[in-house]
Amino acid sequence: MSIRHFSAGLAGLALLAAITTPAGAQPRLEVDCEAGRAHHVAARGVAFLVIHRGALVCERYDRGVDPGDSWWLASGTKSFAPVMVALAVQDGLLELDQPTAQILDEWADDPDQSAITIRHLLDQSSGLAVNPRNRRLPGYQRAVDTRQEFEAGERFRYGAVHFEALGEVLRRQLDADGLDPTPADYLLRRFLRPLGIGIAGWRAVDGQPALSEGTRISALDWGRFGQAVLARGQFGEIQLGDEEVWAAMFEPSAANPDYGLGWWLIRPDPDDWPLPFVAVAAGAGGQRLYVIPDLELVIVRMTRGVIDDRATRDQAWSDRDFLRRLIVARDAD
């Protein structure tokens, strides 16, 4: 089984034919590759792809980059964690709303920590303390040992600690089931390799892959991952991952309506965002993977990232401004 592999010979395309929109008075939407690329390059962008219905329709590489180059995703890595959970639920290892204290003995006797579920870790509402001034990435056990600051589900607090604690949950449950206890290897074996998606590197902390910001990947492979997410793991008769978890990924959380499970959400708003719903995997330095289900679009924009090009950390980037330039409305015929 393999997901569609895109050719690298489409750099001459400037404009995609009209995207299908619902019948009625809706404008015709088109993708303006050159306008999107210009905005992307001005913000230190190096790789830019647009995929529509599985076909690569925009492909641009700038600043000496080619299709084989890969870059660190920073927090874009978080988008892999809910896929791991979808697979684990399908395999009978976990449940999305399962109390993690069933696996983490350290939390079993604490009335507050024992209420933390897998969902709370993925939507970053676990209540575990987040110190925004501390850039040190915690290992799995250190994340589990973090004190709880708020009740589970009460507040959204963005930080690595939730995902690294999830890493320990996955590690222990995989080990208990007699499987390789490395979460990244589980994802590679069950999902990425069967779909022909390559990972160029995965940062380890205390010997385990970081789930909050650890992957290095090419633009094409991140686009393939986006296509798999758009398909919600469904490939013909084969379903990879639990369907209910796939659906929950893009549902607004109770603690933050702009965040789902590991994905940021841009929701339709007639006063601010007239375009369809967009899910965003976002990393420092402007690394972005956009999935737009209603338009069957996947968009990748990459910089050299904050490790290879530290100046990108301070580079301003607006998802809405970029998408408004890329996806343009024309008068309907």
Side-chain angles (χ1 to χ4, degrees):
M1 172 182 51
S2 64
I3 197 168
R4 180 191 298 268
H5 281 62
F6 315 120
S7 71
L10 300 175
L13 286 178
L15 194 67
L16 173 66
I19 299 169
T20 302
T21 54
Q26 298 282 345
R28 183 180 66 185
L29 299 179
E30 294 177 345
V31 170
D32 189 335
C33 293
E34 291 311 315
R37 176 205 180 188
H39 188 70
H40 147 82
V41 170
R44 304 182 75 83
V46 298
F48 165 54
L49 309 175
V50 178
I51 305 155
H52 181 229
R53 295 181 177 171
L56 182 59
V57 297
C58 304
E59 184 181 24
R60 303 289 187 273
Y61 301 99
D62 292 281
R63 304 177 190 271
V65 167
D66 64 47
D69 291 332
S70 59
W71 311 104
W72 294 106
L73 294 185
S75 288
T77 298
K78 292 179 174 67
S79 62
F80 291 107
V83 178
M84 294 180 188
V85 170
L87 297 167
V89 171
Q90 185 181 48
D91 290 345
L93 302 176
L94 298 175
E95 294 293 336
L96 182 59
D97 291 306
Q98 172 184 357
T100 52
Q102 293 178 1
I103 299 167
L104 301 176
D105 294 338
E106 298 93 325
W107 293 359
D109 294 330
D110 185 297
D112 294 322
Q113 286 185 316
S114 63
I116 298 173
T117 66
I118 304 294
R119 187 190 297 268
H120 291 138
L121 294 174
L122 285 172
D123 69 17
Q124 305 200 65
S125 69
S126 69
L128 296 176
V130 172
N131 182 355
R133 294 187 296 274
N134 185 359
R135 291 184 177 269
R136 182 186 172 194
L137 192 63
Y140 292 178
Q141 188 59 52
R142 183 167 169 242
V144 170
D145 292 340
T146 300
R147 67 182 177 85
Q148 191 178 22
E149 193 173 17
F150 305 105
E151 290 184 7
E154 180 183 345
R155 299 190 191 185
F156 173 86
R157 294 293 305 278
Y158 187 83
V161 64
H162 318 281
F163 290 86
E164 305 315 326
L166 175 64
E168 182 62 7
V169 172
L170 285 163
R171 188 197 70 77
R172 292 190 195 182
Q173 193 58 36
L174 288 167
D175 188 52
D177 209 55
L179 300 171
D180 184 321
T182 308
D185 286 347
Y186 177 65
L187 179 68
L188 287 165
R189 176 177 59 82
R190 281 281 281 111
F191 193 79
L192 299 181
R193 286 180 187 139
L195 299 180
I197 300 169
I199 297 291
W202 203 309
R203 180 185 176 189
V205 178
D206 296 339
Q208 288 290 341
L211 300 194
S212 59
E213 54 180 75
T215 48
R216 186 180 183 104
I217 196 171
S218 70
L220 284 165
D221 276 323
W222 210 18
R224 292 180 182 117
F225 176 71
Q227 275 293 106
V229 171
L230 182 65
R232 293 188 176 187
Q234 180 70 49
F235 303 96
E237 307 246 338
I238 298 173
Q239 175 65 45
L240 297 178
D242 180 78
E243 294 180 67
E244 291 186 8
V245 178
W246 280 110
M249 283 184 208
F250 293 171
E251 291 175 358
S253 74
N256 183 353
D258 295 323
Y259 199 78
L261 304 182
W263 291 78
W264 292 98
L265 312 177
I266 303 177
R267 295 170 294 128
D269 181 342
D271 296 324
D272 180 57
W273 186 249
L275 293 175
F277 165 84
V278 183
V280 187
Q287 310 292 42
R288 293 293 190 274
L289 173 63
Y290 303 94
V291 176
I292 310 180
D294 287 349
L295 301 183
E296 299 178 82
L297 276 177
V298 172
I299 302 160
V300 176
R301 71 91 48 174
M302 300 186 81
T303 69
R304 286 191 167 90
V306 294
I307 293 178
D308 298 291
D309 180 11
R310 292 185 182 277
T312 62
R313 183 177 293 278
D314 300 319
Q315 179 69 59
W317 181 258
S318 167
D319 297 311
R320 287 176 170 80
D321 286 350
F322 169 65
L323 292 171
R324 285 190 182 103
R325 286 170 170 81
L326 177 65
I327 305 171
V328 295
R330 311 291 188 193
D331 290 336
D333 293 334

